[in-house]
Amino acid sequence: MFKIKIALVGLMAPVMLSAQSFSGSIEFKQITTKDTITNIYYVKDKAVRLDQYGKKTGAVEGGFVFDLAGNTIKFVNPKRKVWGEHHSDTPAIIKGTCESTKTKNTKTIQGIKCTEFVVKNTEENTTISYWIAGGKYDFFVPLVKLWNRKDKQSIYFNLIKDLPAGSMPMLSEEKQISDSKLISRLEVTKISKGGIDDTKIAIPADYKKFEQ
């Protein structure tokens, strides 16, 4: 009987871990020296939709639908009501060497305890501090790798060593090493847990495929 109980616990463990994965929406602001943009992730299982809101209009001006199981990305254009396949295969280019360090600093953001990781590149005169929450944001690391963006915030994040499982930064700040000037800042401003309707992460039926 004891052996059977151990076996059942072993079988249930992956299911319990999976059930802990985040489902809901995450709103964050992307701040640069030129602009501030609001973005919202809608997360359900292996499907994620990212909506990007215009600063002046307050409406969704564009977005992406990520299928993390199939490793595909589709872009959506609400104004034109079109969608298309998105590919980003070009490798990122880095000058010099990036050094990744986990500090002992912690900070509570949106009620979540985060640990600071710092990535520094002297030749690129750049240092980025990531305040990372770990445990249930299983979608984020695969999404960043699949998206393969060429901004330093994304590139440096992919180079962090020994990230905890299910990691996601709640706050990240890119600065110049020489004068500590802020270049960009990403900050989670709202987290809403709960079920996401399939229509929220799907491409609307009346959108047409964009053909180049």
Side-chain angles (χ1 to χ4, degrees):
M1 179 65 72
F2 182 68
K3 291 183 178 179
I4 292 175
K5 287 183 178 179
I6 292 178
L8 287 173
V9 171
L11 288 171
M12 290 174 63
V15 177
M16 293 172 66
L17 288 172
S18 176
Q20 294 174 358
S21 296
F22 179 82
S23 178
S25 63
I26 300 173
E27 181 175 328
F28 67 100
K29 290 191 181 296
Q30 180 179 350
I31 303 167
T32 66
T33 55
K34 296 181 179 180
D35 203 0
T36 298
I37 301 172
T38 297
N39 304 267
I40 300 180
Y41 283 118
Y42 297 95
V43 185
K44 183 177 182 180
D45 301 324
K46 295 288 186 179
V48 182
R49 175 165 174 157
L50 171 64
D51 284 343
Q52 299 174 320
Y53 289 77
K55 183 177 180 179
K56 294 182 179 179
T57 64
V60 180
E61 294 190 347
F64 297 90
V65 176
F66 303 86
D67 177 357
L68 301 181
N71 289 321
T72 63
I73 308 173
K74 296 180 175 68
F75 70 82
V76 290
N77 186 322
K79 290 184 178 180
R80 298 177 59 187
K81 290 190 174 183
V82 297
W83 67 273
E85 304 289 345
H86 177 81
H87 301 282
S88 181
D89 302 322
T90 306
I93 299 176
I94 302 174
K95 296 179 181 179
T97 302
C98 288
E99 299 178 357
S100 169
T101 305
K102 178 183 179 181
T103 76
K104 295 182 180 180
N105 300 328
T106 61
K107 181 182 293 191
T108 300
I109 302 171
Q110 298 298 315
I112 301 169
K113 184 178 180 181
C114 302
T115 301
E116 184 188 34
F117 287 74
V118 177
V119 182
K120 180 185 294 186
N121 187 318
T122 303
E123 186 166 338
E124 292 191 335
N125 191 29
T126 301
T127 180
I128 305 180
S129 295
Y130 298 90
W131 295 90
I132 291 178
K136 57 184 178 181
Y137 304 99
D138 301 312
F139 75 95
F140 191 77
V141 170
L143 184 150
V144 175
K145 291 185 181 298
L146 175 63
W147 203 359
N148 191 28
R149 283 174 54 86
K150 304 306 184 292
D151 61 289
K152 289 181 181 178
Q153 288 261 14
S154 300
I155 295 171
Y156 284 29
F157 178 80
N158 282 328
L159 298 175
I160 297 176
K161 299 177 181 178
D162 303 322
L163 273 177
S167 289
M168 176 178 173
M170 294 289 148
L171 170 66
S172 56
E173 292 182 317
E174 174 189 356
K175 296 181 179 180
Q176 292 183 168
I177 296 174
S178 57
D179 57 7
S180 298
K181 179 183 178 182
L182 181 67
I183 303 301
S184 68
R185 174 187 175 100
L186 298 174
E187 181 177 7
V188 171
T189 55
K190 184 178 180 180
I191 298 176
S192 300
K193 302 176 184 178
I196 295 293
D197 191 271
D198 288 341
T199 58
K200 194 63 181 177
I201 54 176
I203 295 173
D206 61 339
Y207 280 35
K208 296 182 179 180
K209 186 176 182 180
F210 176 76
E211 302 289 354
Q212 293 183 339

